[in-house]
């Protein structure tokens, strides 16, 4: 990319902008006050400036920022000071960032509360579709938020992590429910193991799904209840079977 000559920065302007990433995708100054610009603004300002579309005065007007701050953003961006905030983006010239909303101001308290409620209901093992219907949310919007979250962009990243945790708990809950309903099959499986019959033949004789059994055993090996007792019973049965040989 052909870059324009950097704007001159007076000594009085050359004051570091001490920034930390904020919870919702923007930046905070070192004193804790929120900055008036976001990562998306930083990227846009530098693209527009280096592509020769706007000068610093025009950018100040467009982004409603002081020209002095625009100059610092450009200077610091070119100096690599924002690199740590760009680690999720491999190629800024190719990646389409136009549809991604980095501006925390668009995440109203009402919307954030709804996302919290979404996770609350997700933890109650409700489906995404039912939750969206209950909270008047668009399922496609939720999917988009999750895709953004995978890249590490806040606040989508927090939502994605909470969603993933709830999803994993839901999956484990389903496995637990299935395990508790399979009490008779489990007794048969342990009994046949004591008698020296292999897992493959037990499956053929009883119709027990070995993938399911192996999942239960793996969870039991990790010490997770209620699978831990099943794992211990299986080890005893295997030891008894091997001693018969």
């Amino acid at each position: 990319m052909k870059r324009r000559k950097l704007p001159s920065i007076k000594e009085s302007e050359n004051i570091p902008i001490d920034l930390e990433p904020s919870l919702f995708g923007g930046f905070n100054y070192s004193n804790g006050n929120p900055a008036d610009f976001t990562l998306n603004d930083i990227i846009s300002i530098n693209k527009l400036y280096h592509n020769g579309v706007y000068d610093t005065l025009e950018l100040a007007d467009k982004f409603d920022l002081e020209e002095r701050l625009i100059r610092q953003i450009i200077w610091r961006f070119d100096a690599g000071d924002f690199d740590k905030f760009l680690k999720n983006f491999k190629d800024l010239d190719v990646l389409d960032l136009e549809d991604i909303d980095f501006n925390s101001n668009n995440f109203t308290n009402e919307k954030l509360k709804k996302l919290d409620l979404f996770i609350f209901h997700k933890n109650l093992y409700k489906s995404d579709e039912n939750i969206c219907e209950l909270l008047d949310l668009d399922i496609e919007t939720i999917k988009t938020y999750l895709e953004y979250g995978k890249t590490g962009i806040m606040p989508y990243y927090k939502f994605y992590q909470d969603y993933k945790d709830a999803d994993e708990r839901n999956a484990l809950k389903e496995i637990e429910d299935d395990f508790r309903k399979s009490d008779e099959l489990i007794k048969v499986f342990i009994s046949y193991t004591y008698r020296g019959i292999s897992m493959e033949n037990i499956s053929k004789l009883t119709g027990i799904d070995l993938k399911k059994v192996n999942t239960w055993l793996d969870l039991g090996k990790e010490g997770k209840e209620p699978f831990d007792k099943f794992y211990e019973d299986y080890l005893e049965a295997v030891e008894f079977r091997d001693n018969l040989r």
Side-chain angles (χ1 to χ4, degrees):
M1 178 190 296
K2 185 177 180 181
R3 299 204 165 200
R4 294 176 61 177
K5 184 180 178 181
L6 284 176
S8 60
I9 299 176
K10 299 176 184 176
E11 188 66 30
S12 60
E13 291 180 333
N14 193 10
I15 303 170
I17 308 172
D18 233 352
L19 296 172
E20 291 293 336
S22 73
L23 179 63
F24 300 120
F27 294 95
N28 287 332
Y29 293 108
S30 56
N31 62 6
N33 291 331
D36 296 324
F37 54 89
T38 65
L39 180 59
N40 191 39
D41 293 331
I42 290 171
I43 295 167
S44 298
I45 286 167
N46 280 276
K47 279 191 171 183
L48 293 172
Y49 179 79
H50 288 298
N51 286 340
V53 181
Y54 292 90
D55 61 24
T56 55
L57 187 61
E58 291 168 332
L59 287 169
D61 183 61
K62 178 176 175 61
F63 288 88
D64 195 23
L65 297 170
E66 292 181 15
E67 186 183 8
R68 169 180 168 275
L69 185 55
I70 293 289
R71 289 168 178 267
Q72 284 205 27
I73 287 173
I74 294 170
W75 179 75
R76 286 195 58 184
F77 186 91
D78 277 50
D81 291 353
F82 290 109
D83 284 353
K84 64 181 178 180
F85 301 121
L86 301 174
K87 61 184 178 182
N88 293 313
F89 308 107
K90 304 300 182 185
D91 189 341
L92 296 180
D93 294 329
V94 175
L95 187 62
D96 181 11
L97 301 172
E98 296 303 319
D99 294 331
I100 300 182
D101 174 18
F102 293 87
N103 193 337
S104 61
N105 293 331
N106 290 330
F107 268 80
T108 61
N109 287 334
E110 182 181 356
K111 185 179 289 187
L112 290 171
K113 284 178 182 177
K114 278 196 174 184
L115 293 181
D116 284 341
L117 281 172
F118 185 98
I119 298 300
F120 172 80
H121 287 288
K122 187 71 178 175
N123 284 320
L124 296 178
Y125 317 114
K126 294 181 181 177
S127 70
D128 292 357
E129 290 76 11
N130 288 342
I131 298 172
C132 285
E133 185 176 352
L134 178 67
L135 300 177
D136 192 27
L137 292 169
D138 177 32
I139 186 66
E140 293 304 318
T141 299
I142 293 298
K143 289 178 180 177
T144 300
Y145 287 177
L146 292 172
E147 286 301 312
Y148 292 165
K150 290 178 184 178
T151 69
I153 301 169
M154 291 293 278
Y156 310 102
Y157 180 67
K158 182 180 183 303
F159 178 64
Y160 168 71
Q161 288 291 343
D162 290 344
Y163 179 93
K164 190 170 69 169
D165 290 344
D167 215 27
E168 289 174 358
R169 282 193 293 271
N170 288 353
L172 182 59
K173 179 67 166 54
E174 288 182 11
I175 295 171
E176 286 181 10
D177 289 345
D178 188 33
F179 179 78
R180 295 182 191 281
K181 292 174 184 176
S182 304
D183 188 54
E184 292 303 317
L185 282 177
I186 290 168
K187 289 178 181 176
V188 169
F189 179 83
I190 295 297
S191 173
Y192 275 54
T193 302
Y194 267 107
R195 292 164 63 181
I197 302 174
S198 68
M199 290 180 69
E200 290 73 16
N201 285 333
I202 294 174
S203 178
K204 290 177 183 177
L205 289 168
T206 64
I208 293 176
D209 185 348
L210 288 186
K211 288 183 180 178
K212 187 184 297 186
V213 171
N214 283 323
T215 298
W216 295 342
L217 290 172
D218 287 341
L219 290 168
K221 188 176 181 179
E222 294 174 9
K224 287 186 169 61
E225 296 180 352
F227 311 99
D228 51 349
K229 187 178 184 308
F230 170 62
Y231 177 69
E232 291 170 3
D233 291 345
Y234 174 72
L235 290 182
E236 288 181 10
V238 169
E239 184 178 2
F240 182 86
R241 179 195 67 193
D242 292 345
N243 288 335
L244 290 177
R245 295 174 180 174

